[in-house]
């Protein structure tokens, strides 16, 4: 995966030189270990700012909605599925984009790595499938596969579904992944236990909305929790309001969520926000055979109507 | 200077005695990180930490705080009249607060306890609290306190400073309040003042030497506000920002709030909740106009407030203590140290765009 960066720079530089795009959106090196920062480059001489490693988990499709210029964008499999969703939902036009596709070899979970050590991590070096962690009087090599972002560990679409150019050979997609083991476990709980599970899950929530704002799907001009005329949701730490936010946000993402993991990655309180969206993702698969963002050819099940719908209530 | 030695064997017993006359708060680890919480009887603060994920500002200034209640029932004589809520301002002790977080209360005090405006809730709560600081022998990578008017052994805002010296804490008495807390805990083992002073000074020096992250703030005051406001770097600074409230909510010095009424049936409350300048609603006018409509404007506001408006308004340095939380927890790695340096070094004549 580390070899991709030269190709990313070469393509970006070429696109900018030839005037095919006005801007390229990618990542630059972060200021703390295991973090990179989304950035844009407008001049070919600045493409050296770009980096690519296992710390590029932020979904860059989040930076596209309603932009007017011609854009080059570096995308992983999940990001590309969100771009498909954006195109279907008219948030961006395909001919505005030059998609630089990255066959993704999974992102790492920095919170998981941080929690493995008593002392603070000073430096993290990546060597393909190994991660070398350095701290005060500490140096340890861990296997990357043990510290993946949870959504990456069960990812079945690592290659971009649409792209203009790939930065490397496609990677093999994982088969026979059980994506919903955790969801089934919750489904089998009695109602009271289920309720308690979700209450405990969101107990630490501080209503910062990092999950919502990191999500490419959450582009509403005004989110329902921010509506003030009338105001639908309270602003305090009242559990009812916190629940309302999480439940409704998840439903807004039904049939659209690509399980990119941006929400969970962004949460400053380590809340497993995907526990909500995954259930709806599973339902969409079970009920409609639908996986979001895989094709531009079909409309999502929740915005289509068929006269031969098998359910009676809609007729 | 007076220093009391607290043998760690005496720690739990002292806290137990303290809990008879003080409501105690301390850092507690749940799952992967520490936060401050009210300690149950017999519960000990976990002193094995770098710092808490959220700042302890909520101890004095809760995220949601009810101020008034009212009834809408017209059969009641006092209907539609706001009545103050009874609150508990009995003595409380914050055990293990880092010096940066204690100093932060003083920066916030400039707003809540100003000569012209007094916030009764904040002031009463702050006055009721005794701050037992915990010096940082091992600062974080992201700490830049020494160039933000603070430091790992900084004493401003503290009543006591605890220094971890292995089997015991050195407890430096800073105020009368701190002395009273020690008495209530029954910790009284005196130390030779000069020797204790030397020991603390050398540990302080060692801790400060570990802090390599720094910011430059010396030129901020002399910059023209309008020129900084118009600087071209804001577009680049703001690009990655997703406009969540994480930076403002984890920050020990962000103080903004919103007032809300909530009524259920015929009874209602008026409360205040933390708000964030990152949110569009923060400045949304009743007219429908929003003076800070774009993300860039909101990002600029946060940094201009902390690093320019506050500096000019209070002549008290920057509105930041260098705790580094916003750097550690920003989902997209926006780094206040970089922005501070951009602002401090800004020369309009050299601005290319």
């Amino acid at each position: 995966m580390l070899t991709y960066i030269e190709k990313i720079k070469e393509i970006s530089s070429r696109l900018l030189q030839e005037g095919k795009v006005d801007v390229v959106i990618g990542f630059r090196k972060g200021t703390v270990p295991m973090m990179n920062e989304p950035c844009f480059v407008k001049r070919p001489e600045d493409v050296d700012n770009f980096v690519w490693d296992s710390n590029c988990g932020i979904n860059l499709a989040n930076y596209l909605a309603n932009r007017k210029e011609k854009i080059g964008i570096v995308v992983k499999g999940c990001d590309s599925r969100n771009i498909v969703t954006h195109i279907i939902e008219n948030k961006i036009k395909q001919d505005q984009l030059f998609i630089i596709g990255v066959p993704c070899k999974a992102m790492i979970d920095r919170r998981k790595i941080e929690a493995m050590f008593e002392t603070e991590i000073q430096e993290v070096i990546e060597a393909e499938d190994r991660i070398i962690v350095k701290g005060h009087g500490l140096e340890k090599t861990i296997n990357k596969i043990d510290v993946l972002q949870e959504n990456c560990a069960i990812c079945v679409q690592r290659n971009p579904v649409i792209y203009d150019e790939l930065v490397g050979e496609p990677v093999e997609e994982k088969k026979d992944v059980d994506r919903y083991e955790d969801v089934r476990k919750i489904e089998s709980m009695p109602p009271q236990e289920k309720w308690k599970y979700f209450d405990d899950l969101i107990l630490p929530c501080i209503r910062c909305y990092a999950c919502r704002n990191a999500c490419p799907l959450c582009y509403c001009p005004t989110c329902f929790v921010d509506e003030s005329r009338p105001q639908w949701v309270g602003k305090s730490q009242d559990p009812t309001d916190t629940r309302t936010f999480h439940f409704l946000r998840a439903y807004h993402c039904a049939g659209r969520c690509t399980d990119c993991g941006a929400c969970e990655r962004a949460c400053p309180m380590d809340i497993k926000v995907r526990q909500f969206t995954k259930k709806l993702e599973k339902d969409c698969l079970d009920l409609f055979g639908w996986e979001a963002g895989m094709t531009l050819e079909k409309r999502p099940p929740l915005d289509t109507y068929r006269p031969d719908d098998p359910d009676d209530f809609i007729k | 200077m007076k220093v009391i030695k607290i043998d760690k064997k005496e720690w739990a017993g002292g806290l137990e005695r303290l809990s008879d006359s003080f409501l105690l708060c301390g850092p507690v680890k749940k799952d992967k990180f520490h936060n401050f919480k009210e300690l149950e009887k017999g519960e000990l603060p976990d002193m094995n930490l770098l710092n808490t994920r959220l700042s302890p500002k909520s101890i004095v200034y809760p995220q949601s705080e009810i101020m008034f209640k009212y009834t809408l029932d017209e059969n009641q004589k006092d209907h539609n009249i706001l009545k103050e809520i009874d609150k508990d301002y009995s003595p409380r002790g914050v055990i293990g607060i880092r010096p940066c977080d204690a100093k932060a209360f003083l920066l916030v005090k400039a707003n809540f306890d100003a000569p012209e405006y007094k916030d009764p809730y904040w002031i009463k709560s702050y006055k009721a609290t005794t701050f037992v600081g915990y010096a940082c022998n091992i600062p974080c990578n992201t700490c830049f306190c020494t160039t933000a008017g603070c430091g790992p052994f900084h004493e401003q805002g503290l009543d006591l400073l605890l220094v971890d010296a292995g089997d015991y804490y050195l407890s430096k008495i800073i105020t009368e309040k701190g002395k009273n807390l020690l008495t209530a805990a029954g910790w009284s083992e005196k130390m030779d003042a000069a020797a204790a002073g030397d020991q603390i000074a050398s540990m302080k020096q060692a801790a400060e030497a570990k802090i390599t992250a720094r910011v430059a703030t010396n030129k901020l005051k002399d910059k023209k506000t309008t020129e900084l406001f118009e600087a071209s770097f804001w577009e680049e600074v703001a690009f990655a920002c997703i406009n969540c409230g994480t930076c403002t909510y984890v920050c020990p010095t962000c103080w903004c709030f919103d007032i809300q009424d909530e009524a259920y049936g015929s009874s209602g409350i008026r409360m205040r909740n933390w708000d964030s300048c990152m949110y569009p609603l923060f400045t949304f006018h009743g007219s429908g106009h929003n003076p800070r409509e774009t993300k860039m404007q909101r990002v600029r506001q946060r940094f201009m407030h902390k690093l320019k408006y506050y500096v000019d308004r209070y002549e008290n340095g920057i509105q930041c203590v260098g705790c580094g939380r916003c750097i550690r927890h920003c989902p997209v790695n926006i780094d206040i140290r970089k922005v501070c340096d951009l602002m401090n070094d800004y020369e309009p004549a050299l601005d290319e765009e």
Side-chain angles (χ1 to χ4, degrees):
Chain A
M1 183 135 93
L2 301 170
T3 56
Y4 291 162
I5 187 57
E6 289 314 315
K7 194 70 186 164
I8 290 171
K9 288 178 186 173
E10 186 263 307
I11 297 170
S12 305
S13 168
R14 172 164 31 96
L15 292 174
L16 289 164
Q17 260 164 17
E18 292 174 358
K20 284 196 175 147
V21 298
D22 303 311
V23 61
V24 181
I25 298 175
F27 286 94
R28 64 181 172 197
K29 188 163 172 44
T31 60
V32 294
M34 299 180 282
M35 280 298 280
N36 289 325
E37 181 186 358
C39 72
F40 64 85
V41 162
K42 290 182 174 172
R43 298 181 306 189
E45 59 268 34
D46 293 336
V47 298
D48 281 336
N49 288 341
F50 282 144
V51 293
W52 192 267
D53 57 26
S54 300
N55 308 305
C56 298
I58 294 158
N59 189 332
L60 293 184
N62 196 26
Y63 295 90
L64 287 181
N66 306 325
R67 288 190 89 98
K68 301 290 175 238
E69 70 270 59
K70 290 202 144 222
I71 304 161
I73 181 163
V74 184
V75 305
K76 310 180 286 289
C78 50
D79 306 348
S80 78
R81 292 174 62 185
N82 279 101
I83 290 178
V84 166
T85 306
H86 263 5
I87 294 168
I88 287 177
E89 296 177 355
N90 299 319
K91 294 318 289 179
I92 196 88
K93 291 194 179 73
Q94 191 173 5
D95 59 14
Q96 261 179 281
L97 299 177
F98 190 100
I99 300 173
I100 305 168
V102 176
C104 182
K105 295 181 184 171
M107 295 295 143
I108 55 175
D109 181 340
R110 76 178 171 120
R111 305 271 197 214
K112 201 181 277 178
I113 297 176
E114 281 166 358
M116 291 167 73
F117 300 94
E118 282 290 310
T119 59
E120 204 184 15
I121 293 167
Q122 307 286 319
E123 193 187 358
V124 172
I125 303 160
E126 201 179 325
E128 286 300 327
D129 53 356
R130 282 169 304 122
I131 309 282
I132 302 152
V133 181
K134 295 182 180 181
H136 297 291
L138 156 98
E139 183 168 334
K140 200 179 166 191
T141 303
I142 45 185
N143 290 322
K144 180 176 161 182
I145 196 149
D146 297 329
V147 290
L148 298 183
Q149 263 186 212
E150 286 183 14
N151 65 307
C152 297
I154 54 166
C155 176
V156 290
Q157 188 59 53
R158 307 199 291 169
N159 295 297
V161 293
I162 50 167
Y163 55 85
D164 293 285
E165 203 167 329
L166 280 184
V167 301
E169 288 300 311
V171 289
E172 199 182 330
E173 298 292 2
K174 281 183 276 185
K175 300 270 189 301
D176 304 321
V177 180
D178 182 3
R179 289 187 47 78
Y180 303 113
E181 193 189 349
D182 50 351
V183 179
R184 282 196 307 272
K185 210 171 127 194
I186 302 164
E187 281 172 342
S188 69
M189 292 177 185
Q192 291 299 327
E193 198 181 319
K194 214 180 272 178
W195 188 255
K196 184 178 182 314
Y197 175 83
F198 285 111
D199 263 1
D200 290 347
L201 187 74
I202 56 174
L203 196 64
C205 179
I206 53 170
R207 305 278 298 273
C208 70
Y209 302 133
C211 50
R212 174 193 73 183
N213 291 18
C215 175
L217 303 174
C218 281
Y219 55 65
C220 289
T222 306
C223 178
F224 71 97
V225 295
D226 292 334
E227 286 285 359
S228 53
R229 294 182 297 190
Q231 183 178 314
W232 303 107
V233 187
K235 304 283 183 192
S236 74
Q237 296 294 92
D238 189 301
T240 307
D241 295 317
T242 308
R243 270 182 221 128
T244 306
F245 164 62
H246 285 285
F247 294 178
L248 258 95
R249 193 189 93 80
Y251 275 97
H252 273 186
C253 299
R256 305 166 66 221
C257 174
T258 62
D259 199 30
C260 72
C263 50
E264 217 160 271
R265 183 186 174 89
C267 178
M269 304 305 284
D270 298 358
I271 298 172
K272 291 184 181 297
V273 199
R274 288 168 50 249
Q275 295 292 292
F276 294 111
T277 48
K278 273 187 84 187
K279 163 65 179 160
L280 294 158
E281 190 198 322
K282 177 175 177 287
D283 282 357
C284 283
L285 187 63
D286 292 347
L287 296 167
F288 309 112
W290 174 257
E291 288 173 290
M294 300 297 273
T295 172
L296 285 164
E297 306 306 318
K298 277 196 232 165
R299 295 300 305 180
L302 295 180
D303 77 355
T304 47
Y305 168 72
R306 281 182 296 147
D308 60 342
D309 195 290
D311 283 324
D312 282 335
F313 74 91
I314 205 158
K315 289 175 185 168
Chain B
M1 185 194 73
K2 213 171 155 189
V3 177
I4 297 292
K5 182 176 174 178
I6 306 173
D7 194 301
K8 285 190 183 172
K9 288 185 201 122
E10 307 291 324
W11 180 241
L15 289 174
E16 177 77 32
R17 281 188 291 279
L18 210 48
S19 66
D20 292 337
S21 46
F22 284 84
L23 188 75
L24 296 181
C25 288
V28 172
K29 192 173 185 180
K30 189 164 180 278
D31 299 327
K32 291 181 188 157
F33 55 89
H34 289 85
N35 266 331
F36 276 90
K37 75 178 269 292
E38 206 177 301
L39 300 172
E40 320 266 335
K41 195 90 181 153
E43 185 181 13
L44 291 174
D46 181 358
M47 303 296 270
N48 184 22
L49 84 162
L50 288 166
N51 205 351
T52 50
R53 187 157 295 183
L54 297 175
S55 90
K57 74 176 166 189
S58 59
I59 295 170
V60 170
Y61 172 45
Q63 182 162 3
S64 294
E65 182 172 24
I66 301 171
M67 299 182 292
F68 304 101
K69 60 182 175 183
Y70 52 85
T71 176
L72 303 171
D73 179 357
E74 294 187 1
N75 298 319
Q76 305 288 327
K77 224 167 50 187
D78 57 355
H79 70 272
N80 298 351
I81 292 173
L82 290 170
K83 298 186 136 186
E84 228 174 306
I85 293 267
D86 288 334
K87 286 179 189 260
D88 177 13
Y89 294 113
S90 54
R92 62 200 68 182
V94 182
I95 311 294
I97 185 174
R98 292 301 190 182
C100 55
D101 292 331
K103 167 78 189 278
F105 281 107
L106 296 182
L107 300 190
V108 171
K109 194 170 187 281
N111 177 58
F112 284 135
D113 190 5
E116 63 275 52
Y117 301 109
K118 306 273 180 202
D119 182 301
Y121 313 107
W122 191 93
I123 291 172
K124 282 182 199 163
S125 189
Y126 185 72
K127 278 191 179 151
T129 311
T130 303
F131 294 94
V132 181
Y134 187 29
C136 299
N137 289 337
I138 307 171
C140 304
N141 299 330
T142 41
C143 293
F144 56 101
C145 51
T146 48
T147 48
C150 194
F153 280 56
H154 200 75
E155 294 172 14
Q156 273 182 304
L158 287 175
D159 299 299
L160 283 174
L161 177 68
L162 298 180
V163 180
D164 187 347
D167 297 334
Y168 58 94
Y169 294 113
L170 294 157
S171 175
K172 184 171 175 183
I173 299 170
I174 298 162
T175 67
E176 198 62 25
K177 252 173 151 182
K179 197 173 153 192
N180 295 340
L181 183 136
L182 280 180
T183 309
W187 292 314
S188 58
E189 189 180 339
K190 290 195 180 61
M191 293 190 79
D192 175 63
D198 287 349
Q199 194 179 350
I200 293 174
S202 81
M203 290 178 79
K204 178 182 175 188
Q205 205 181 3
E208 283 175 354
K210 287 181 190 146
I211 295 173
T212 52
R214 47 194 70 246
V215 291
T217 59
N218 57 321
K219 292 185 273 185
L220 290 169
K221 186 141 182 45
D222 298 327
K223 299 286 171 199
K224 270 200 177 141
T225 302
T226 46
E227 287 174 355
L228 276 180
F229 193 83
E230 302 290 351
S232 67
F233 59 70
W234 293 116
E235 187 198 357
E236 198 200 328
V237 166
F239 176 78
C241 181
I242 58 173
N243 261 185
C244 70
T246 301
C247 50
T248 54
Y249 284 4
V250 299
C251 177
T253 69
C254 275
W255 64 49
C256 290
F257 62 82
D258 175 36
I259 292 179
Q260 290 260 313
D261 274 14
E262 281 189 5
Y264 185 73
S266 63
S267 59
I269 51 167
R270 174 163 295 180
M271 64 178 143
R272 67 170 171 194
N273 302 304
W274 290 356
D275 204 352
S276 170
C277 56
M278 294 290 102
Y279 301 156
L281 195 59
F282 187 73
T283 45
F284 189 54
H285 291 184
S287 67
H289 171 65
N290 193 343
R292 279 187 226 132
E293 203 161 27
T294 68
K295 155 171 111 174
M296 185 281 274
Q297 291 172 320
R298 298 193 284 273
V299 173
R300 177 174 62 192
Q301 165 62 24
R302 174 171 146 80
F303 290 116
M304 285 292 277
H305 188 194
K306 289 204 171 299
L307 305 171
K308 180 60 182 166
Y309 308 145
Y310 186 93
V311 173
D312 293 348
R313 166 88 169 76
Y314 298 103
E315 304 196 332
N316 190 21
I318 55 175
Q319 190 200 352
C320 170
V321 288
C323 75
R325 283 189 183 85
C326 57
I327 305 168
R328 290 196 292 283
H329 304 304
C330 173
V332 295
N333 191 223
I334 292 173
D335 191 324
I336 192 172
R337 295 170 298 185
K338 269 164 70 179
V339 182
C340 187
D341 287 347
L342 276 173
M343 289 172 68
N344 196 61
D345 293 339
Y346 183 66
E347 295 295 341
L350 302 175
D351 201 334
E352 283 178 13
E353 284 181 23

